[in-house]
Amino acid sequence: MALGKLFRALPPRRANPEELMESYLIACHKCTKHAIEAVVIKLIRGELKDMPKAWAPSPAELSSAIRDEMDFVQRQVDLAAERQMIEDKRPVAAAPRLFEQRAADAKAKMEAEGRRLLFEADSFNAAASSRRNLRPGSIYVGILGAWYGPEGSLYQPEPQPVTEADMQAAYQAEMAAADAEMQEILRADMFEPEPTTEPEIDPPAEQTDVAPAQQSAFEEVEF
């Protein structure tokens, strides 16, 4: 709590913090957290001229300093609204949208574009590792802290996630097909007949007719 930080740095001048805690809480009633923390930091750093530097201010002094800080912040807000009104040339400055309104508008835009909510992520960097698995057209909406699919993905069937059992079954089927193909190759090599190489046989030499030659020789001799 901011008051505890203040009392650790600057103890009260009279009494102890426990006895004065109720008075300080009354002094901080209806004060913004930002104003209380800003005043405590300024007191510890000694930036408030009219406040003591060696001990904590009284509840009334602390309440006055906090309300001065709240008035300063409100003046800054009014000046910013006036500058916006001048720049936009509007008769009345546009009211700032709250976080809930901006988140609702972003969610309505995603629904109008038909984008499916994929998963939530605290920041863009936290989901950077999963970005490569997203479909083209997916976007990250920072105010909603979530990834949304491409336009029209809300009306498309959601893809079924691939489980580890499916991957293992596909791997086993692939290995079985490869094993069957190898067995078929081995079986074909085992039963293929080897080519036979028989020696060529020379054709029989043509026999010459000897008898007629001898007969003609005898015919030339006359007895």
Side-chain angles (χ1 to χ4, degrees):
M1 189 176 179
L3 292 179
K5 186 186 301 183
L6 173 64
F7 294 147
R8 285 192 296 270
L10 300 173
R13 186 175 183 180
R14 299 177 180 178
N16 52 51
E18 288 77 9
E19 296 176 355
L20 298 175
M21 184 59 67
E22 184 178 0
S23 299
Y24 278 102
L25 292 177
I26 294 175
C28 296
H29 182 60
K30 292 186 178 181
C31 296
T32 62
K33 181 180 179 181
H34 168 77
I36 296 174
E37 292 180 348
V39 169
V40 168
I41 293 175
K42 291 180 180 180
L43 287 172
I44 295 175
R45 298 177 61 177
E47 297 179 356
L48 298 180
K49 297 181 180 180
D50 298 335
M51 293 293 175
K53 305 295 188 293
W55 56 83
S58 65
E61 292 173 337
L62 180 62
S63 177
S64 177
I66 293 174
R67 296 186 185 281
D68 290 342
E69 180 68 21
M70 292 174 61
D71 292 340
F72 171 77
V73 173
Q74 185 61 43
R75 287 196 300 271
Q76 298 300 318
V77 172
D78 294 340
L79 288 174
E82 185 177 355
R83 285 195 296 267
Q84 184 179 2
M85 180 182 64
I86 295 174
E87 292 175 359
D88 296 345
K89 298 180 180 180
R90 299 175 182 175
V92 180
R97 293 188 303 166
L98 300 178
F99 175 83
E100 292 78 6
Q101 295 174 340
R102 295 170 56 195
D105 293 344
K107 186 175 295 184
K109 181 180 179 182
M110 295 298 102
E111 293 179 357
E113 295 178 356
R115 296 181 182 270
R116 182 189 299 274
L117 173 62
L118 300 180
F119 58 90
E120 297 180 353
D122 296 336
S123 63
F124 180 85
N125 294 331
S129 59
S130 303
R131 187 180 181 184
R132 66 187 63 179
N133 299 326
L134 297 177
R135 296 172 56 188
S138 301
I139 60 173
Y140 177 75
V141 184
I143 195 170
L144 299 177
W147 275 95
Y148 283 81
E151 294 187 16
S153 58
L154 182 62
Y155 310 109
Q156 298 176 357
E158 186 175 1
Q160 298 296 329
V162 180
T163 62
E164 185 177 356
D166 296 337
M167 296 177 62
Q168 187 175 3
Y171 174 76
Q172 292 178 355
E174 184 178 356
M175 293 300 296
D179 185 62
E181 183 179 358
M182 182 60 67
Q183 293 294 335
E184 186 67 23
I185 294 174
L186 295 176
R187 190 179 301 109
D189 292 342
M190 184 180 299
F191 293 101
E192 183 179 358
E194 298 181 356
T196 58
T197 56
E198 297 181 356
E200 296 182 358
I201 302 176
D202 297 335
E206 295 181 359
Q207 297 180 0
T208 57
D209 193 1
V210 182
Q214 293 178 355
Q215 185 177 1
S216 61
F218 285 115
E219 289 179 352
E220 293 180 356
V221 180
E222 296 180 357
F223 294 96

